Amino acid sequence: MSPSPAAADSAFLKAARGEPVPHTPVWFMRQAGRSLPEYLKVREGVGMLESCMDPDLVVEITMQPVRRYGVDAAIFFSDIVLPLKAVGVDLDIVPGVGPVVASPVRTLQDVAAIPDLTPDHVGFITEAVRGLVGELGATPLIGFAGAPFTVASYLVEGGPSKEHAKTKAMMFGAPEVWDALMRKIAGIASAYLQVQVEAGASAVQLFDSWAGALTPADYAEHVMPHSARVLADAGALGVPRIHFGVGTTNLLGLMGDAGADVVGIDWRTPLERGIELVGDHAVQGNLDPTLVFAPTEVMTARAAQVIEAGRAAKGHIFNLGHGVIPSTDPDQLARLTEFVQGYPLS
Ligand code: CP3
């Protein structure tokens, strides 16, 4: 199967390709998840990784925000560490903590012990994506993977980290281990995205959430070539590629140059400035996710500023500047979706 033909004319894909849109498309990172009572209900007694490997649950959870908000795209319900779990890395996603890896990766042998990913490892992903594309109809599905640096951080630190000190120590001090690890993760990410696109995903997003910890020079030398490989492989499949990170003002130009069609911009960078920095690419973002806790008219006034600023870009997909905060009121996101989709074009 190839990218869903029904979704080809959607506002989301038009914006990603830099074509004129019927309205500004909108979706939210982490739109599925703990902010939705219907999510909490179906997840009762089911572990996070377990739910990611159950195609019926993945379809249901991915559809929940699409039904509730009528957003312009769905994002596949999974996690950036899921492909590692699928190839056999001993890890868990601990509630309130995040991914925890039993034996952190430190040596060349540790890297070599991680199998490459084949479609057989993730048959449940193919099944879930196929099911979703059927249910979604004209609404595009975004597949995703974690970028090599961000995934490496979990593997090397053994869990979430603020400083990424062990990860960067490997990058600076053990270049041959670092290179092998980045190649390994890039290969897994590419294969994982290919499975999703071949099953019908219409676009992909590469999450390099923690790349903002790097200087531009270090990013360009030690990280960008590996992300560029993943983006090039995804590009060869014929789908638009979104490249997102947090705290990346200094990296936005490079993140576009790495081979993205759309660069995700977090809320700390004014969208006008982000658009200048990414040059000839579409952008995605970037309302501060805490604005949904403000009165509706304050939130929508700021959303209007984001939409207006987005007009200078080659294309603009409205989103929050990072994921939906779990305590978010879903009714506010419903109002925000309606506001963005109803906002006059010029
Ligand atoms: O709706 C969506 O956006 C799709 C689902 C999705 C999840 N994780 C589900 C999830 C996506 C796209 C991710 C990506 C992800 N996972 C990233 C990159 C995006 C970002 O936010 O920057 C990162 C860094 C991770 C690693 C990770 N997994 C973290 C930091 C956490 C949160 C830990 C916590 O409990 O606060 C997870 C767990 C996770 N992934 C949850 C969800 C819905 C929460 C677990 C639960 O509901 O039980």
Side-chain angles (χ1 to χ4, degrees), residues 264-290:
I265 301 188
D266 92 63
W267 77 96
R268 297 169 187 86
T269 310
L271 195 56
E272 300 81 342
R273 178 86 187 109
I275 290 166
E276 283 169 19
L277 290 167
V278 303
D280 191 32
H281 295 90
V283 294
Q284 175 173 280
N286 77 341
L287 188 72
D288 183 333
T290 64

Side-chain angles (χ1 to χ4, degrees), residues 266-323:
D266 92 63
W267 77 96
R268 297 169 187 86
T269 310
L271 195 56
E272 300 81 342
R273 178 86 187 109
I275 290 166
E276 283 169 19
L277 290 167
V278 303
D280 191 32
H281 295 90
V283 294
Q284 175 173 280
N286 77 341
L287 188 72
D288 183 333
T290 64
L291 269 159
V292 301
F293 298 95
T296 302
E297 56 287 3
V298 175
M299 170 183 76
T300 52
R302 290 286 290 267
Q305 288 175 7
V306 169
I307 298 169
E308 294 289 347
R311 296 198 200 292
K314 185 180 174 192
H316 177 217
I317 298 163
F318 188 97
N319 206 312
L320 303 178
H322 198 183

Side-chain angles (χ1 to χ4, degrees), residues 178-298:
W178 180 254
D179 192 62
L181 179 59
M182 296 301 270
R183 284 173 194 275
K184 173 67 70 177
I185 303 170
I188 290 175
S190 272
Y192 186 57
L193 290 176
Q194 185 171 350
V195 165
Q196 296 175 59
V197 172
E198 285 180 351
S202 295
V204 296
Q205 177 153 333
L206 189 64
F207 281 96
D208 209 351
S209 302
W210 314 139
L214 297 165
T215 66
D218 288 326
Y219 177 79
E221 182 177 351
H222 301 291
V223 172
M224 185 176 164
H226 304 284
S227 295
R229 174 194 159 189
V230 181
L231 292 165
D233 289 349
L237 303 170
V239 293
R241 299 146 298 175
I242 307 169
H243 196 186
F244 171 77
V246 181
T248 49
T249 311
N250 290 325
L251 304 180
L252 287 173
L254 294 171
M255 289 178 72
D257 293 345
D261 301 286
V262 184
V263 180
I265 301 188
D266 92 63
W267 77 96
R268 297 169 187 86
T269 310
L271 195 56
E272 300 81 342
R273 178 86 187 109
I275 290 166
E276 283 169 19
L277 290 167
V278 303
D280 191 32
H281 295 90
V283 294
Q284 175 173 280
N286 77 341
L287 188 72
D288 183 333
T290 64
L291 269 159
V292 301
F293 298 95
T296 302
E297 56 287 3
V298 175

Side-chain angles (χ1 to χ4, degrees), residues 6-26 72-73 138-140 315-318 341 345:
D9 288 333
S10 60
F12 170 84
L13 286 176
K14 283 178 191 273
R17 295 190 297 249
E19 297 167 7
V21 287
H23 63 266
T24 301
V26 49
D72 290 280
T139 303
H316 177 217
I317 298 163
F318 188 97
Q341 292 175 337
L345 272 177

Side-chain angles (χ1 to χ4, degrees), residues 24-331:
T24 301
V26 49
W27 70 280
F28 305 110
M29 291 184 279
R30 296 266 173 107
Q31 62 192 13
R34 287 169 290 182
S35 59
L36 295 181
E38 57 270 37
Y39 170 80
L40 296 174
K41 188 145 182 284
V42 298
R43 278 287 319 281
E44 262 172 39
V46 190
M48 176 63 191
L49 288 169
E50 199 187 327
S51 60
C52 294
M53 296 190 207
D54 176 336
D56 291 339
L57 257 188
V58 170
V59 171
E60 168 57 24
I61 294 173
T62 304
M63 290 305 296
Q64 285 177 347
V66 179
R67 283 186 211 121
R68 191 185 259 265
Y69 305 129
V71 276
D72 290 280
I75 182 151
F76 188 64
F77 184 78
S78 190
D79 193 83
I80 57 168
V81 297
L82 194 275
L84 295 174
K85 177 78 183 174
V87 298
V89 175
D90 185 1
L91 63 86
D92 199 4
I93 295 182
V94 178
V97 176
V100 175
V101 176
S103 310
V105 171
R106 298 288 152 72
T107 64
L108 273 178
Q109 289 82 341
D110 295 340
V111 177
I114 304 172
D116 292 324
L117 185 138
T118 68
D120 291 341
H121 286 116
V122 286
F124 55 90
I125 298 280
T126 300
E127 192 183 333
V129 172
R130 283 192 182 146
L132 269 169
V133 172
E135 284 222 13
L136 281 164
T139 303
L141 177 69
I142 305 168
F144 77 90
F149 178 77
T150 292
V151 174
S153 168
Y154 288 103
L155 280 175
V156 178
E157 306 289 335
S161 158
K162 243 174 97 185
E163 317 292 353
H164 312 283
K166 295 188 181 81
T167 313
K168 289 166 73 177
M170 181 190 283
M171 187 178 92
F172 293 128
E176 68 299 341
V177 184
W178 180 254
D179 192 62
L181 179 59
M182 296 301 270
R183 284 173 194 275
K184 173 67 70 177
I185 303 170
I188 290 175
S190 272
Y192 186 57
L193 290 176
Q194 185 171 350
V195 165
Q196 296 175 59
V197 172
E198 285 180 351
S202 295
V204 296
Q205 177 153 333
L206 189 64
F207 281 96
D208 209 351
S209 302
W210 314 139
L214 297 165
T215 66
D218 288 326
Y219 177 79
E221 182 177 351
H222 301 291
V223 172
M224 185 176 164
H226 304 284
S227 295
R229 174 194 159 189
V230 181
L231 292 165
D233 289 349
L237 303 170
V239 293
R241 299 146 298 175
I242 307 169
H243 196 186
F244 171 77
V246 181
T248 49
T249 311
N250 290 325
L251 304 180
L252 287 173
L254 294 171
M255 289 178 72
D257 293 345
D261 301 286
V262 184
V263 180
I265 301 188
D266 92 63
W267 77 96
R268 297 169 187 86
T269 310
L271 195 56
E272 300 81 342
R273 178 86 187 109
I275 290 166
E276 283 169 19
L277 290 167
V278 303
D280 191 32
H281 295 90
V283 294
Q284 175 173 280
N286 77 341
L287 188 72
D288 183 333
T290 64
L291 269 159
V292 301
F293 298 95
T296 302
E297 56 287 3
V298 175
M299 170 183 76
T300 52
R302 290 286 290 267
Q305 288 175 7
V306 169
I307 298 169
E308 294 289 347
R311 296 198 200 292
K314 185 180 174 192
H316 177 217
I317 298 163
F318 188 97
N319 206 312
L320 303 178
H322 198 183
V324 171
I325 296 167
S327 54
T328 294
D329 173 5
D331 291 341

